[in-house]
Amino acid sequence: MSFFATVEQYQDFSFTDFFDRVTDAQVEQALKKEVLNQADFLILLSPRAAHHLEAMARRAHQLTVQYFGRTIQLFIPLYISNFCANQCAYCGFNRQNKIVRRKLSLAEIEREAQAIAGSGMQHVLFLTGEAQQLTPMDYMLDAARCLKRYFASVAIEVYPLEVEEYRQLMEAGVDSMTLFQECYDQEVYRRVHEAGKKMDYHFRLNAPERAARAGFRAVNIGALLGLAEPCREFFLTGLHARYLENIFLDTEVAVSLPRFNECESDFKPDYLVDDATFVQFMTALRIFLPRVGITVSTRENAAFRDRLLPLGVTRYSAGSRTGVGGYAAAEEESTPQFEITDNRGIEEVAAAIYEHGYQPVYKDWDAI
């Protein structure tokens, strides 16, 4: 059994026809339910529901405080390599892009770890481009062991792996993973992934499930908003998260909401997701999945992230660099994977969280 069965179920589904039939009464009824079904979730993603955004925000806030309190977990990304064998039309690491490629040595990774740990951050996410020959398992295992000496939680965002490979990383200190499907629409997926192993839609789709089977504490998924029709993409993202929650009862499931951001390419997305739609999607997800973590990165600007604090988000990146390294010393020339729009330091982000009545959390988990 794979989540692909659900993707196929909605392959020929007319979202437009469904949305045309949604009424205000249906939106109001969905907001009153304790447990939402798939149709309820889709109702909250509809254009009609956009007229009920204030009520959705109140409900999302109530559920978030109920299940997470007034806390925002902070994490920091560390890119250890930007070599990539894939040719993804939208990505700054596209193998055809003429950029400076770097890969940190183990000594450099340790210096970066020391610098980040000195800031008080205890949750680190290390990332690579998808170039297995240049960043093989041995390299990632060494990186994980190094980082685990400095951080309570080490997460990965790397190329999809097999169950046994995830298990090896877990034994080396990794406890969670992020992997975006990028796009659930198979036709669009084929079009924007032009070459490389990332062309394998199914291997990527099933990777979070393999990580959960390996024993990871948490998995984080998402679709890049802008590549394909946004409502359909976010609907399937939510169903994917519920699928994982229902099967892996001991695994924390989280969802990111990355919007397309400029990078080293001329790619123009077919769709744009404005701020109001972003808020609608996020609040609908919280109401549909009250216990799921919701991650918003520094792709979003500072003012907008501050406004999101009461609306369902539970996890923020802070002080981010999206080029290779950049924390231990002045960042060497390195093209970022995408452009950051919230350039505040960790202390500034934490201060903004306090100012809005929330508690920034630097550490909320530790290995036994």
Side-chain angles (χ1 to χ4, degrees):
M1 182 65 175
S2 161
F3 178 68
F4 184 65
T6 303
V7 176
E8 283 193 307
Q9 179 185 343
Y10 288 95
Q11 185 70 36
D12 299 317
F13 181 81
S14 176
F15 286 80
T16 301
D17 289 347
F18 181 92
F19 289 152
D20 285 344
R21 296 191 298 270
V22 173
T23 66
D24 290 314
Q26 287 177 306
V27 177
E28 292 164 2
Q29 185 61 34
L31 288 172
K32 293 176 182 176
K33 288 188 173 183
E34 290 296 321
V35 179
L36 276 64
N37 60 32
Q38 295 182 6
D40 297 321
F41 181 41
L42 194 51
I43 285 168
L44 295 183
L45 296 176
S46 70
R48 176 62 60 182
H51 300 289
H52 299 259
L53 200 53
E54 187 173 339
M56 290 177 65
R58 286 196 301 269
R59 180 66 173 148
H61 172 74
Q62 178 261 316
L63 288 168
T64 307
V65 172
Q66 178 181 344
Y67 287 100
F68 294 91
R70 293 178 178 270
T71 63
I72 302 292
Q73 185 202 91
L74 296 179
F75 73 97
I76 193 164
L78 171 61
Y79 284 78
I80 63 174
S81 174
N82 64 357
F83 286 97
C84 194
N86 293 322
Q87 192 173 317
C88 306
Y90 53 85
C91 184
F93 290 175
N94 184 321
R95 72 186 190 186
Q96 288 196 325
N97 289 349
K98 305 302 181 184
I99 65 174
V100 176
R101 305 283 181 175
R102 289 189 64 214
K103 169 184 163 182
L104 298 182
S105 67
L106 194 59
E108 289 174 319
I109 292 172
E110 182 149 26
R111 285 195 292 271
E112 295 292 327
Q114 291 168 345
I116 294 169
S119 71
M121 296 291 272
Q122 277 294 299
H123 288 254
V124 68
L125 169 71
F126 80 81
L127 308 91
T128 68
E130 299 195 10
Q132 190 167 359
Q133 288 187 330
L134 291 166
T135 54
M137 275 297 296
D138 286 348
Y139 174 74
M140 292 197 293
L141 289 169
D142 286 341
R145 295 185 188 104
C146 174
L147 293 170
K148 188 58 183 174
R149 295 200 298 270
Y150 294 91
F151 301 100
S153 174
V154 177
I156 56 168
E157 188 172 342
V158 301
Y159 49 85
L161 301 168
E162 299 287 1
V163 173
E164 182 54 36
E165 292 172 315
Y166 283 126
R167 190 170 289 122
Q168 289 176 47
L169 281 165
M170 189 177 69
E171 292 170 354
V174 174
D175 59 79
S176 54
M177 63 91 82
T178 289
L179 192 138
F180 300 151
Q181 182 61 20
E182 314 289 14
C183 179
Y184 288 89
D185 185 308
Q186 295 174 81
E187 182 179 343
V188 176
Y189 190 94
R190 284 191 295 269
R191 187 169 73 244
V192 299
H193 299 107
E194 300 163 344
K197 288 187 176 181
K198 199 168 178 178
M199 294 175 69
D200 190 336
Y201 177 98
H202 294 274
F203 190 66
R204 190 171 192 87
L205 183 70
N206 295 326
E209 185 171 343
R210 293 195 298 274
R213 291 194 187 282
F216 272 28
R217 175 180 64 90
V219 297
N220 184 53
I221 64 172
L224 181 55
L225 298 176
L227 291 182
E229 199 289 313
C231 285
R232 182 182 187 277
E233 288 292 298
F234 201 71
F235 176 64
L236 289 172
T237 301
L239 298 193
H240 196 179
R242 174 168 276 188
Y243 168 87
L244 293 168
E245 272 196 335
N246 288 342
I247 294 177
F248 302 102
L249 303 181
D250 295 328
T251 303
E252 297 175 20
V253 178
V255 174
S256 288
L257 286 80
R259 282 194 285 187
F260 178 80
N261 213 337
E262 292 183 0
C263 62
E264 284 290 307
S265 74
D266 297 323
F267 181 80
K268 302 297 181 187
D270 290 334
Y271 301 89
L272 294 176
V273 175
D274 61 24
D275 288 355
T277 304
F278 186 101
V279 170
Q280 181 183 353
F281 284 1
M282 190 177 81
T283 54
L285 181 70
R286 168 58 66 229
I287 297 165
F288 179 55
L289 297 173
R291 295 176 179 83
V292 81
I294 296 180
T295 305
V296 177
S297 76
T298 50
R299 286 174 180 265
E300 303 300 334
N301 68 55
F304 185 58
R305 290 217 301 170
D306 287 352
R307 291 198 297 272
L308 294 177
L309 284 167
L311 303 180
V313 65
T314 60
R315 194 164 180 256
Y316 273 177
S317 52
S320 303
R321 303 283 187 272
T322 59
V324 177
Y327 298 102
E331 192 170 2
E332 295 184 26
E333 183 181 358
S334 177
T335 301
Q337 186 178 31
F338 60 87
E339 294 297 332
I340 290 171
T341 53
D342 183 351
N343 292 296
R344 293 176 296 181
I346 296 165
E347 291 183 359
E348 291 176 280
V349 172
I353 292 170
Y354 278 123
E355 185 178 336
H356 285 79
Y358 284 73
Q359 173 75 37
V361 176
Y362 295 89
K363 176 182 175 181
D364 68 351
W365 182 83
D366 212 345
I368 296 174

